[in-house]
Amino acid sequence: MLDESLLDDPDALARADRRGLLRGAAEAGARVRTAARHADEAGIARLDPDGRPRAVLVAGPGTAALGVADLIGALAGASAPVIPLRPTGVAHAAGALRWALPGWAGSLDLLLLTTTDGSEPGLALLAEQAYRRGCTVVAVAPQTSPLSEAVDGVHGLVVPMATAPYEAYEEAQAAAPGALWALFTPLLALLDRLGLVDAPPETLAKVADRLDRTAERCGPAIATHSNPAKTLAADLAERLPLIWTEGAGAGPAGRRFAAVLAELAGRPALAAELPEALPAHGVLLAGDFASGADEDDFFRDRVDEQQALRARVVLLRDRPAGGLTAAPAARELALGHDTAVSELEPEDGSQLESIAELLAVTDFAAVYLALAGSDNPHE
C-alpha cells in the first residue's frame, strides 16, 4: 500500500529517505555541471579525432550503466552502431562479473566503460583486451578506483565520476538518480567531439537547467495535485505499470523507469515501445490485470485479502517519427478495457532536454513510491 499522506509531508519524506534519493534527484542538474567540468578537465574538449569510430561498445554493471548504453544507442542513431556488452558470471558482484569483446572488435572501434564502483576486475581485463586489439578505451569511474588505474595503464582516457559527499549507500547507488548523469554526461561530451551526437557545452548547460526546473516542479515541498511526479506515484499505487513509449528518446526513459521502479521501489513494471506495445500488452489489459476485470463471488469478505494488482498505462512521449503517432490508438485500447492512462510529454526543447525531463519526472516518481510504500520504514 502507498501512504499517500506521506507524499504531502516533506518532513516525513525526509525522515524516510535514508538513502538520500530525493536529494540525488534534486541535484541531477548540478551533477551534470560537475560531470561536464570533469570531462573538460580530462581533456575531452581538446581531442582531435581522426574520424568517427566504426562501432561504439559500452560495458558496465548495474542500472546506470545499462541506461547509459541505451541512451547512447538512441541518440547516436545511424551515426554508428552502439553495442552494449552484457556481463556474465555466477553472481552480480564486482569480483564475479566478466565481459568480452566481440571477435571483430579492433582498432576502428571505441570501448566505453561506465561504473559507479570501479573495483570490477572484469572491466580491467576488458580494458587490457581492448588495448591488445587496438581499441580506443574511455572510462568514467571513481577517481581512485582500480579501474581508473588499469585504464591509465593501457593508455586510455579516464574521466573521474562526479560524486556527492552524502552518497554512502552503495546498494542503491547504481540506480540512484544522480548516478546516471554522472556517467552519461562525460560520454555525451566525448561523443559530441566525435561527431556521433549533438551535445556541445551549451546544450549540456540547457540540460542541467531543464533538470533544475523539473526538480522545482517535482520536489517534496510541492503538493501532489500540482506535482507531476507525486501524481504519477499516486496513480501507480497498487497498480502494474505498463509503460508505453513513443519517440526515440522516450524508449530508454521508459525502460529506465521500469528498472528503477523494481530496484528502488520494489515495484514490477513492463515497458514497451508503441505501436508494438499494443499487441504485446493488449492481452494483459483483457485478462486478470484489467482494471475492469470481474472477480468470482463478488459478495465474499475481502477484508483480510490482498488487493488484486491491476494495470495502469503510463504513456511517455517524445517526438514520434515522421509526426506519426500511435497515442490515440493506445488511449483507445486502454480506456476500452477500463484502464486509466497517465501521460508525460516534455516541454519544447532539444532532444536531450526532452529526455532529461522524462528521466527526471520518472526518477522522482520512483523515489516517491520507494519512500511512501508500506515496506519502507518511517516514523
Side-chain angles (χ1 to χ4, degrees), residues 51-130:
R52 295 179 176 180
R54 177 180 59 180
V56 179
L57 309 169
V58 188
T63 302
L66 291 175
V68 167
D70 201 3
L71 286 163
I72 290 174
L75 291 168
S79 299
V82 177
I83 302 170
L85 302 181
R86 304 290 182 178
T88 59
V90 297
H92 196 279
L97 298 175
R98 293 292 183 271
W99 290 261
L101 291 175
W104 49 262
S107 60
L108 299 178
D109 304 310
L110 171 64
L111 173 64
L112 304 178
L113 305 177
T114 60
T115 173
T116 60
D117 186 332
S119 67
E120 304 90 349
L123 287 179
L125 292 172
L126 183 66
E128 293 172 6
Q129 183 185 10

Side-chain angles (χ1 to χ4, degrees), residues 244 246 274 278 285 313 315 317 325-341 343 345:
W244 295 353
E246 187 168 58
L274 291 174
L278 303 183
L285 296 180
V313 170
L315 183 56
R317 301 184 66 203
T325 176
R331 298 186 191 101
E332 182 179 358
L333 176 64
L335 298 177
H337 291 289
D338 297 322
T339 300
V341 180
E343 298 194 33
E345 188 169 349

Side-chain angles (χ1 to χ4, degrees), residues 4 51 58-59 79 113 136 171 177 211 219 225 272 278 291 319 347 369:
E4 294 193 32
V58 188
S79 299
L113 305 177
T136 300
E171 71 275 8
L211 289 169
H225 64 82
L278 303 183
S291 293
R319 295 177 179 82
E347 299 174 0
L369 279 167

